Amino acid sequence: MALTGLQIFKLLPKTNCGECDVPTCMAFAMKLAAKNAELSACPYASEEAIKTIGAASKPPIRLVKIGSGDNEVQLGNEVALFRHEKTFVHPAAFAIAFSDTASLDESKALLAQIHDYCMLRVGEELKINLVLVDNQSDEVAPFVELAKTAASVSGKGVILRSNNVAALEAALVELKDQHPLIHAATPANADQLAALALKFDAPLVARAATLDELVALTTKLASLGVKDIVLDVPSDNVAATLQTNSIIRRAAVKDSFEPLGYPILNFLPGDDLQSLAADTSTLICKYASILVLEKCDLALLLPMMMLRLNIYTDPQKPIQVEPKIYPIGEPGDNAPLLVTTNFSLTYFLVSGEIENSGVPAYLLSVETEGMSVLTGWAAGKFTGEKVAAAVKASGIADITKCRKLIIPGYVSQISGEIDEGLPGWEVLVGPGEVIDLGPYLKKQVG
Ligand code: SF4
């Protein structure tokens, strides 16, 4: 039975020591109630708390980590079927597959591209997350060589895929501190692969032809002590994969069915871009945690990363930047001040246009709880009074001698209020459309 935050709080030590990475026991209780934390994070939980809270607060899909350091990828921990119910928290990871039968030099060049690839979008870094090393040769030496190269050149977490247990073990020895994902335990080799996963403290893929076989397999792996499991049910069409993924997610989230309470890995074979785009989009939405692609095609990956960014953004909470002064270019003593809201999309559009104009300036993002300019104004969060107060509080008057404040054209009506609140400043009404900001700024400076 689900417990409320208050019921959970009553069972916690109430010392607010913060060792669970949350400042107070109450905040931790709320996270447990939302199934966003595990009780094991509190070292001081009593036997009674463990018994009562333990199962009730456990996230229905286990958190599994691959890789280490900055490039660690976290999967699972989801608690909802639909993103309008609750935010999806750990975005699907993109993995690019490399075969140990291919030229090592060519693989190295592509791994270096994967290392360097990073697109910035509304303050988020869009990257490829994992590389899969495929032992198609079935030999030990080329597999180990490629595994070492993949880890060191790409800097990404690695998935080791082989049917050869000796090859897997040799590669795991080389990557022992890097927490690679082992692919894959099957009903035929479960004991051997479970032993490897435990020996190297590595997460393990459970691969079975049907859901019934998968349930039996994960139950067996769990009984052998393997905790970090990723699910893989191979299929030759995306409709079947979608159905399987949905059954797994529903069983885990709605029925708390532990044998299927793990992240899912899907392979996306083929190289037809249109089919891949359709299939990848489908599986990002429902419910892949890892998507393995055979080819690294940026024409496919970039839009897919944008879709992923949208799916894994809280629909009830607009993405925001910190409300503060941002220097754009190298603004000196006489650079003007522009003002906008702290809605990420608005901020990055405005800052991008200022940067492109080549006119150095300061940009103040005002706290509007992530609302855009017109919405913020309509909601009373981007009024002249609030803008004037934000300008004063920002300390900009000590940074630039220029007293020109440029406000968005769509809220020209607030200029009078700002005038009253900011004596000594000249309030200029900028263009309505951000696209016109560059020419406007050049004219102002000129
Ligand atoms: Fe409270 Fe336990 Fe967290 Fe400390 S570690 S703040 S006692 S819940």
Side-chain angles (χ1 to χ4, degrees), residues 12-20 22-25 28 41-45:
L12 292 176
K14 305 183 194 69
T15 55
N16 301 334
C17 69
E19 285 185 44
C20 52
V22 180
T24 64
C25 295
F28 186 60
C42 171
Y44 307 110

Side-chain angles (χ1 to χ4, degrees), residues 331-335 362 399-402:
D333 272 0
N334 279 307
Y362 293 98
I399 300 173
T400 177
K401 291 189 190 106
C402 179

Side-chain angles (χ1 to χ4, degrees), residues 271-298:
D271 56 10
D272 175 65
L273 268 193
Q274 285 183 356
S275 304
L276 275 174
D279 295 354
T280 311
S281 311
T282 305
L283 299 178
I284 287 172
C285 297
K286 288 178 183 276
Y287 289 106
S289 282
I290 302 175
L291 287 157
V292 182
L293 293 153
E294 285 176 352
K295 264 181 67 178
C296 180
D297 193 319
L298 297 182

Side-chain angles (χ1 to χ4, degrees), residues 368-389:
T368 55
E369 297 172 18
M371 292 179 193
S372 60
V373 169
L374 274 178
T375 315
W377 171 73
K381 307 214 176 274
F382 195 67
T383 60
E385 201 182 327
K386 291 205 165 151
V387 170

